[in-house]
Amino acid sequence: KNTGGGRCTWFDPIMDQIADADARLAADLRQAIARDELFLLYQPIVELPHGRLAGVEALIRWRHPTHGLVSPGVFIPLAERNGYIVELGRWVLREAVRQAREWELAYGDAAPEKVSVNISARQLREPGFPAEVAELLRTSGLTPHRLVAEVTETAVLGTGESLDAVRALHALGLRIALDDFGTGQSSLSLLVDCPVKVLKVDKSFVDGVTGASAQAVIVDGLIGITEGLKIEAVAEGVETADQAYRLHKMGYRFAQGFHFARPMPGADIALLLDVVPASRKVDNLH
Ligand code: C2E
Ligand code: MG
Ligand code: MG
Ligand code: MG
């Protein structure tokens, strides 16, 4: 009341502290690329029911010098708010394409067929983005359809430019995946207007798949839509054998989740490929 009434002055310092911590983390993030603190993990996307590797999703990690591992759930939204996501996204794409091309050269047909990269709304709106991707494909030599652009419904519906960008990526030969399907501003017309190749059904729906829930009905219904539209459906966040079994029975061909594999370094993905290691081939000659 001494400050003039109607104000909660104790609240402001806390908000200030949060803003300060945010600003410090954002400043640190701007140094992260140069300081080599960022790296990618790859989570297998598998075929049901046997679990054969069908592809991988690149997921960014940040090893902060004092806070340790910071979750992308924290720093990606931060980078989206201050625009740094454009720079960060560029690094992710370059690193994932480098890794994908390395696998392609080393393992040929046995390499992961698809490498998915998350593309944020802000990146899609960046005018030169498709041209950058085209240049990256050209210089790396990566077969374009090995690269999957994961975008969210909300990102694509954001502006007309976003949909144009998605169409341009598709024209380059990339596959387009709709990520976290069902949680955004879901609009079935997006499946008509947007050249979608893969639909990733969000974990929040998959969680309920073994019960008699509304989620289970929706997950079951989506398979009919995707089959009719010749879209691949991937179930996200599969954590149990029960869920995997139910999804398989519903007709799902692809799944991703801790039940099958956690995100892992690229070197560990190579161990899952259906190839005879070069050292063993040499052994066989003797
Ligand atoms: P997302 O694209 O939907 O990625 C899937 C997230 O679910 C990953 O979390 C993955 O580790 C987690 N996950 C996979 N299987 C399971 C499971 O069975 N159970 C549970 N509880 N979680 C599972 P992560 O790596 O923490 O990433 C979170 C989100 O951050 C991603 O969600 C994506 O939206 C964003 N993100 C991550 N890397 C990038 C990136 O390089 N660029 C952009 N723009 N966003 C990224
Ligand atoms: Mg994703
Ligand atoms: Mg997802
Ligand atoms: Mg998700």
Side-chain angles (χ1 to χ4, degrees):
K1 276 184 185 154
N2 291 341
T3 61
R7 291 208 294 150
C8 289
T9 48
W10 56 268
F11 194 65
D12 292 335
I14 292 171
M15 293 309 283
D16 280 356
Q17 275 174 31
I18 292 173
D20 279 359
D22 249 34
R24 273 198 302 275
L25 205 61
D28 289 349
L29 187 56
R30 286 180 186 278
Q31 311 285 327
I33 294 178
R35 292 182 179 166
D36 216 16
E37 292 165 2
L38 300 176
F39 59 101
L40 296 182
L41 294 181
Y42 298 87
Q43 186 178 29
I45 297 169
V46 303
E47 239 176 274
L48 294 173
H50 36 70
R52 191 191 75 90
L53 188 86
V56 296
E57 176 177 6
L59 295 161
I60 195 169
R61 294 292 179 267
W62 178 20
R63 189 171 287 118
H64 187 282
T66 54
H67 304 314
L69 273 186
V70 185
S71 161
V74 171
F75 72 84
I76 291 289
L78 187 67
E80 277 168 349
R81 283 197 296 277
N82 66 23
Y84 189 62
I85 190 69
V86 173
E87 194 65 32
L88 210 62
R90 198 173 275 139
W91 180 86
V92 169
L93 206 52
R94 187 167 298 277
E95 177 55 19
V97 165
R98 186 202 60 73
Q99 175 65 86
R101 179 57 175 163
E102 188 185 302
W103 283 329
E104 188 177 36
L105 286 172
Y107 305 110
D109 288 345
E113 221 173 284
K114 299 164 223 169
V115 175
S116 294
V117 177
N118 293 286
I119 309 291
S120 97
R122 185 67 177 62
Q123 274 176 289
L124 275 185
R125 287 203 311 271
E126 197 67 10
F129 182 63
E132 259 179 51
V133 175
E135 178 65 9
L136 196 53
L137 288 171
R138 198 184 60 75
T139 53
S140 67
L142 180 71
T143 307
H145 70 248
R146 284 190 187 271
L147 191 58
V148 182
E150 290 198 6
V151 297
T152 63
E153 302 154 276
T154 310
V156 181
L157 289 171
T159 64
E161 289 82 53
S162 309
L163 186 54
D164 288 346
V166 167
R167 289 188 174 127
L169 294 178
H170 176 252
L172 290 174
L174 271 70
R175 303 187 221 211
I176 308 298
L178 273 188
D179 203 1
D180 305 339
F181 190 80
T183 61
Q185 308 157 3
S186 293
S187 159
L188 292 177
S189 69
L190 200 55
L191 299 180
V192 178
D193 299 333
C194 183
V196 177
K197 184 79 189 152
V198 182
L199 196 147
K200 299 191 78 172
V201 180
D202 193 69
K203 178 178 190 306
S204 56
F205 291 94
V206 172
D207 282 345
V209 85
T210 51
S213 61
Q215 285 94 322
V217 175
I218 291 169
V219 173
D220 193 24
L222 280 174
I223 203 72
I225 293 174
T226 55
E227 276 175 4
L229 294 173
K230 306 253 184 306
I231 292 174
E232 290 174 3
V234 178
E236 290 195 275
V238 178
E239 292 184 340
T240 68
D242 250 20
Q243 290 172 340
Y245 179 76
R246 282 296 303 148
L247 290 161
H248 171 59
K249 285 293 164 202
M250 286 176 175
Y252 279 78
R253 265 188 66 205
F254 300 102
Q256 177 179 357
F258 295 170
H259 171 63
F260 295 101
R262 296 202 171 233
M264 61 182 83
D268 292 358
I269 293 291
L271 302 175
L272 301 177
L273 303 178
D274 192 14
V275 287
V276 181
S279 58
R280 288 250 302 280
K281 278 185 202 153
V282 172
D283 282 352
N284 289 343
L285 295 176
H286 299 300

